[in-house]
Amino acid sequence: RCLLKMVKGNIIVPEDILSFCCNGLQGSTSPPRAREPEEREEAPGAMASPSPARNPTEVQMSQLVLPCHTNHRGELSTGQLLKWIDTAACLSAERHAGCPCVTASMDDIYFEHTISVGQVVNIKAKVNRAFNSSMEVGIQVSYEDLCSGKHCSICKAYATFVAQGPLGSKVRLEPLTPQTEEEKIEYSIAAERRRMRLVHKDTLKDLLTSSPQETERETRDGSGAVPAERTRVESVELVLPPHANHQGNTFGGQIMAWMENVATIAASRLCHAHPTLRAIEMFHFRGPSQVGDRLVLKAIVNNAFKNSMEVGVCAEAYGQEMSISRRHINSAFMTFVVLDQEGHPCTLPMVAPEPGDGERRYREASARKKIRLDRKYVVSCKQTEVPLSVPWDQSNKVYLSYNNVSALKMLVAKANWVLAREKEKVRMYTLEEDKFLSFRIEISVCITASRAFSLLSNLRRRHEWDSHYVSAELVQKVDDDDMIYHVVSQKLRNEKKPQDFVILASRRKPCSKGDPYVVAFRSVTLPTHPARDEFTRGETLCSGFCIWPESKEMSKVAYYNQVMPGYLNYVTTNVAGLSSDICSTFEACEKFLLKNKQDLISQLQD
């Protein structure tokens, strides 16, 4: 007993454990005695207090890269990394669901660096948001060099998982409650990412419809074009128990690894070198495969650009009976590059597509490249790195709308808002960050949230309560949720000309209970509305309304604005109490809402 009490290193064996051990040796079955209050204090040098509780769905995985995980260059195989990513994400999803989960889709993945043998891969996965029977899992991947202590980000991914009950039935999920500021931001934006996934195919169709049928072929020095048929690869895999989960369904990560393998072979046949996978485009699993299935994997180079190539991969499944038609499991598009010794991309040979389907895949690859660049440029960038007025066109409308709404939701979820002023029912808050000053102004109004949403999302009526607006012309109705306006405002103090704006207004109804109604504004550019001499062209990076129902007849209306330099003096004057113009404008907004609420009631009574 005395020996057990000894301090070894920095660890002290607690007295209750000692008592339990000694009683156990004597054959006693009594539980350890309760610890007295004075025994809770730790001696100097004892173990550090535990870290704060983390997200219960969070899963952390660390894998040492061994030679069996690497390619000929001693770099981690991307297929192996995809298996680890899918496994960690699935474990996180199952923690929340409490039942088996399967991979439904994976968003774009951009691989920033390669990982060498001997380094450690650290993967962190946690559920961002749960919908009815599906959930979004966010995954962060980094590597750690054990010798130098260096840490570096590899990629960030978002996967969608579906919870499955007995016989493959769907399971209704419990909602997730975010705790930290980061979790609240991811939770809020997850609804926008889900919306973007649902319209992904339509975006490609719209672009192909609006673009010329004949794609302009690039001319390149060197040898002639390589027939795409020469890059074709077909391989079969037998699904064994180690490849599947406890329900017998093949792991999504295993299928992705097999697809990456045949895609790499196809890319190598074009360039006669060892290519590096740079990106995987968003894809969906169309159906499951089980233990005993044969998976046929096909790959071909669809198009080769100057420094990169797109490889299309298809996975089909069939059972022992060949007479049964193959089931389409998944299709994916992977972007490869070939790096020289300095790590710079090499010029690739051109591809000559096959007539018919080959020509179609060639055109679609060009369209996907444009969409991929739009998505990476507008969606994946940090908010402060996105130009203010991004050119709007039909192909990037989904991503600009996503950026517009997600920017406002990120601003709403910030935790450091400070009450700056309060005038009667109007409250004004500020948020000071390194690059921006933002303000929020809110008020509770006796009106339904849906009615307030309808009134405030129509910029053509804003002049009725906001004296700064002169007019707002609807330039283009993109769809029911997105519209582009040309807005003319009053002259600012010390300005000689009035300002005008081209604004994208994006509306969103609540995705689930507790979500607000959202109306987001940001500047875009249109070729039909260039800057004109009679106006000073203004820009807005992030502004808009969020409306929360407080009861059946009461709503909290909040306006957010990330202040641009031209308005900084105006805003700070109001924050400091030297002017009440912003508060007065919002009081006028309340009167406008109440007046039009009564107008609606009168119309219904008539």
Side-chain angles (χ1 to χ4, degrees), residues 174-208:
E174 293 292 327
L176 187 73
T177 303
Q179 300 297 329
T180 66
E181 179 181 321
E182 178 188 0
E183 289 174 359
K184 290 176 182 177
I185 290 173
E186 292 289 359
Y187 176 90
S188 183
I189 302 176
E192 279 303 298
R193 283 190 289 263
R194 181 171 182 253
R195 186 176 186 272
M196 189 170 62
R197 292 179 198 114
L198 297 176
V199 299
H200 175 58
K201 288 184 180 179
D202 293 336
T203 304
L204 179 63
K205 289 179 182 177
D206 291 345
L207 180 57
L208 289 171

Side-chain angles (χ1 to χ4, degrees), residues 544-583:
F545 293 95
C546 283
I547 306 157
W548 288 269
E550 294 183 318
S551 66
K552 288 185 178 181
E553 293 296 328
M554 290 293 295
S555 301
K556 183 175 77 173
V557 179
Y559 175 74
Y560 296 79
N561 195 308
Q562 207 166 58
V563 183
M564 300 306 299
Y567 280 88
L568 187 61
N569 181 59
Y570 169 74
V571 172
T572 54
T573 301
N574 278 265
V575 170
L578 301 176
S579 171
S580 297
D581 191 51
I582 293 179
C583 292

Side-chain angles (χ1 to χ4, degrees), residues 421-433:
R421 290 192 65 186
E422 192 167 8
K423 182 186 176 185
E424 296 181 356
K425 294 189 293 182
V426 180
R427 298 170 297 279
M428 186 174 186
Y429 299 79
T430 58
L431 175 68
E432 298 182 35
E433 298 177 295

Side-chain angles (χ1 to χ4, degrees), residues 9 14 16 69 80-81 145 171 181 214-215 296 299 311 321 393 408 437 466 474 503 510 532 553 583 605:
D16 55 359
H69 301 141
Q80 180 62 59
L81 178 58
D145 191 297
V171 175
E181 179 181 321
E214 292 297 326
T215 304
V296 179
V311 180
E321 300 294 332
D393 64 43
L408 179 59
L437 170 68
D466 189 345
L474 178 61
I503 291 178
R532 294 189 290 180
E553 293 296 328
C583 292
Q605 290 174 345

Side-chain angles (χ1 to χ4, degrees), residues 404-448:
N404 190 17
V405 176
S406 62
L408 179 59
K409 288 186 173 182
M410 288 173 68
L411 188 62
V412 172
K414 296 286 186 181
N416 298 323
W417 290 96
V418 176
L419 181 63
R421 290 192 65 186
E422 192 167 8
K423 182 186 176 185
E424 296 181 356
K425 294 189 293 182
V426 180
R427 298 170 297 279
M428 186 174 186
Y429 299 79
T430 58
L431 175 68
E432 298 182 35
E433 298 177 295
D434 291 340
K435 295 186 177 181
F436 295 104
L437 170 68
S438 303
F439 74 87
R440 169 179 113 222
I441 188 160
E442 65 183 35
I443 192 170
S444 292
V445 186
C446 184
I447 188 174
T448 62

Side-chain angles (χ1 to χ4, degrees), residues 103-104 201 250 255 259 282-290 293-299 312-319 324-333 360-361 364 368:
T103 314
K201 288 184 180 179
T250 315
I255 297 175
M259 296 175 76
M282 179 190 304
F283 61 86
H284 300 262
F285 286 94
R286 301 190 179 190
S289 68
Q290 291 82 28
D293 277 346
R294 282 73 170 164
L295 287 189
V296 179
L297 303 136
K298 302 176 182 179
V313 197
C314 172
E316 298 174 336
Y318 67 92
I324 301 177
S325 60
R326 295 178 179 180
R327 311 187 308 275
H328 188 183
I329 300 298
N330 190 13
S331 292
F333 302 97
R360 173 185 57 79
R361 290 194 298 266
E364 289 178 351
R368 275 189 294 269

